[in-house]
Amino acid sequence: MQPRPDRITAEERERIRRLPKAELHCHLDGSLRPETMLEVARETGRSMPRPDADSLRDYMLVDDAANLEDYLARFETTLAVMQTAPAIERIAYELVEDAARDGVRYIEVRFAPNLNTREGLPLESVVDASLRGLARAERDHGTVARVIVTALRHQDPRVAEELAELAVAYRGRGVVGFDLAGGEAGNPATRYASAFAHARRHDMACTCHAGEGAGADSVRDALHGCCADRLGHATRLIEDASLLDYVIDRQIPLECCLTSNVQTRAAASYEAHPFRAYFDRGANVLLNTDNRLMSGTTLTDEYVHAAVRLGFGFDELARVALNSFESAFLPLAERRRLVDAARAEIRALGGAAAA
């Protein structure tokens, strides 16, 4: 029987918080501070659906979604205050600051820059602002931060191609990957294959949301149709035994997000999530928040959920953390430095996974 969520001690939680972690699946526009949303709204003459930080936080928490599309609808509220360069820079900075307090040593922040151009801000200015915020936070807090440019499935493939070109243009300047997100139903990843092809031709790493809002065929589409290097969510990959074997054999990283998968009904509960099954089979699994605001979570929370709902011990969590560092879209030498530093921290915490 799995231990109950209220059985973890404060000391055990603090040890998990101190565990060095990397986060590879975190959306910038899903991870704002409510206080910042209100301040930016006042500064730019906008209104928010709630008047104070606590009630706005409660409003933004998606605990009643019927599906993925329902969950995604909340993003219109955050995007409303992400249309100026100062706001984007501030939000990027604060996300890394929050992650650093959460024991995160490396983070890849993803977003669709074209959603931040509604009031005339050029795509390049959007990316530049995010990179300034991340770089400043890295200097102040020590957490290494990079960007993944994300295209959206509901938009025209030509938009995805433009975003792939943008990602390539910033390769080596803070952007480390290209991604496809959004509602999967009726929007196969192969519709955007040309964008992925452009990224790959220019040696840009690629990830792809798949198996969250649709079945294992969506994962197959992302892998074999778009040649994704990593998979976002892949919750329903477990429905295809052959494809799961393929993913395990090649150690393709799975960017798992427990809380948001429960919220979007991709998983019926934490206990029903395939994360434990994937790990036990030897899959290269990673833990992530997805959207810190909409999911009301931190990366420490996600590791705690794995511990208390899925029975992960500290050494197993340390292995998951190392998986994340090893799967980062960074040059090998940089990954090795992060992995070596994480192993040393894990050893200091009494973990055996670093041996």
Side-chain angles (χ1 to χ4, degrees):
M1 179 180 294
Q2 304 293 345
R4 292 181 59 82
D6 57 1
R7 293 294 296 276
I8 192 168
T9 67
E11 291 78 10
E12 290 169 331
R13 181 182 175 85
E14 175 60 14
R15 191 183 186 206
I16 292 174
R17 188 198 67 79
R18 292 175 60 199
L19 176 69
K21 297 177 283 292
E23 174 149 31
L24 307 186
H25 191 121
C26 183
H27 292 266
L28 181 64
D29 48 359
S31 302
L32 286 68
R33 295 175 182 172
E35 296 85 355
T36 297
M37 295 170 66
L38 290 165
E39 288 179 21
V40 174
R42 284 194 294 269
E43 292 168 0
T44 56
R46 294 172 173 82
S47 61
M48 284 285 104
R50 296 292 184 273
D52 60 83
D54 288 341
S55 61
L56 183 58
R57 182 178 291 105
D58 290 343
Y59 172 83
M60 294 303 298
L61 179 64
V62 184
D63 56 5
D64 57 353
N67 50 40
L68 174 60
E69 287 74 16
D70 201 11
Y71 179 92
L72 296 175
R74 276 302 196 283
F75 284 81
E76 285 303 313
T77 304
T78 56
L79 287 168
V81 294
M82 296 179 69
Q83 301 301 320
T84 68
I88 294 166
E89 180 177 343
R90 174 182 177 177
I91 289 161
Y93 179 94
E94 291 177 349
L95 171 53
V96 178
E97 185 174 50
D98 292 342
R101 295 192 186 111
D102 200 18
V104 176
R105 305 291 184 260
Y106 174 74
I107 185 169
E108 291 174 0
V109 179
R110 63 183 69 191
F111 67 104
N114 60 310
L115 298 183
N116 306 98
T117 63
R118 295 174 178 176
E119 296 178 12
L121 198 61
L123 282 172
E124 292 78 9
S125 296
V126 173
V127 177
D128 287 338
S130 70
L131 292 175
R132 285 195 302 272
L134 298 183
R136 185 160 54 88
E138 183 175 335
R139 290 192 299 270
D140 290 350
H141 302 289
T143 296
V144 179
R146 299 292 184 265
V147 164
I148 294 176
V149 171
T150 301
L152 298 169
R153 290 177 185 253
H154 70 275
Q155 294 183 334
D156 191 282
R158 287 172 293 185
V159 176
E161 292 167 7
E162 182 181 9
L163 291 170
E165 292 170 1
L166 180 71
V168 168
Y170 277 83
R171 181 174 176 267
R173 299 162 57 191
V175 172
V176 295
F178 175 71
D179 174 36
L180 179 67
E184 293 172 63
N187 296 302
T190 45
R191 185 171 178 239
Y192 308 89
S194 61
F196 281 96
H198 179 83
R200 293 197 314 275
R201 278 196 304 270
H202 292 83
D203 307 317
M204 173 65 69
C206 297
T207 182
C208 185
H209 286 64
E212 177 193 19
D217 283 346
S218 180
V219 179
R220 186 176 292 277
D221 209 35
L223 274 179
H224 299 319
C226 299
C227 302
D229 300 295
R230 295 194 321 232
L231 293 167
H233 299 284
T235 317
R236 294 181 61 183
L237 167 63
I238 200 163
E239 297 170 4
D240 188 324
S242 176
L243 190 61
L244 177 57
D245 286 342
Y246 178 91
V247 166
I248 292 171
D249 290 345
R250 287 151 188 82
Q251 287 295 285
I252 296 167
L254 306 180
E255 305 162 358
C256 298
C257 308
L258 301 179
T259 297
S260 74
N261 283 175
V262 173
Q263 290 173 310
T264 63
R265 309 297 191 261
S269 65
Y270 289 101
E271 290 79 3
H273 197 284
F275 184 75
R276 174 90 249 182
Y278 290 160
F279 181 89
D280 290 344
R281 287 281 305 276
N284 184 9
V285 288
L286 329 171
L287 275 174
N288 307 273
T289 61
D290 200 10
N291 301 286
R292 288 167 174 256
L293 176 62
M294 280 72 159
S295 289
T297 194
T298 66
L299 195 52
T300 296
D301 290 335
E302 297 303 293
Y303 274 72
V304 168
H305 288 314
V308 300
R309 305 291 187 98
L310 294 168
F312 275 74
F314 184 81
D315 288 339
E316 291 177 314
L317 294 177
R319 179 64 261 169
V320 171
L322 290 173
N323 286 349
S324 299
F325 287 107
E326 292 166 355
S327 300
F329 284 162
L330 285 175
L332 180 60
E334 294 181 48
R335 289 204 311 273
R336 284 177 171 167
R337 283 195 292 272
L338 287 171
V339 169
D340 289 345
R343 287 184 187 278
E345 286 195 71
I346 292 168
R347 201 174 289 119
L349 290 170

